Amino acid sequence: MSMECDTRLAMMSLRDRAVQPAPRRDSTGARRIGAGVFAALAAFALTLFTRTA
């Protein structure tokens, strides 16, 4: 093999091994859903414990 082929193979190997980090996903939507579920659960608990017998 020639030097050019060796260099090209080495560059292809480096490119294949390069790991690109995954783009960071915004988690504000998940927090919003979590807060809504928490608020609903708190409201349900309040209705259970504040009912008159």
Side-chain angles (χ1 to χ4, degrees):
M1 287 185 129
S2 69
M3 180 73 91
E4 183 181 341
C5 288
D6 289 342
T7 305
R8 187 175 294 150
L9 287 172
M11 289 176 65
M12 287 171 56
S13 175
L14 286 173
R15 185 184 63 199
D16 290 343
R17 277 192 261 156
V19 177
Q20 298 293 328
R24 188 175 173 110
R25 292 180 9 186
D26 189 19
S27 62
T28 55
R31 271 191 236 139
R32 226 178 285 135
I33 291 169
V37 170
F38 179 73
L41 189 64
F44 179 69
L46 281 174
T47 57
L48 282 179
F49 292 119
T50 57
R51 291 171 71 184
T52 55

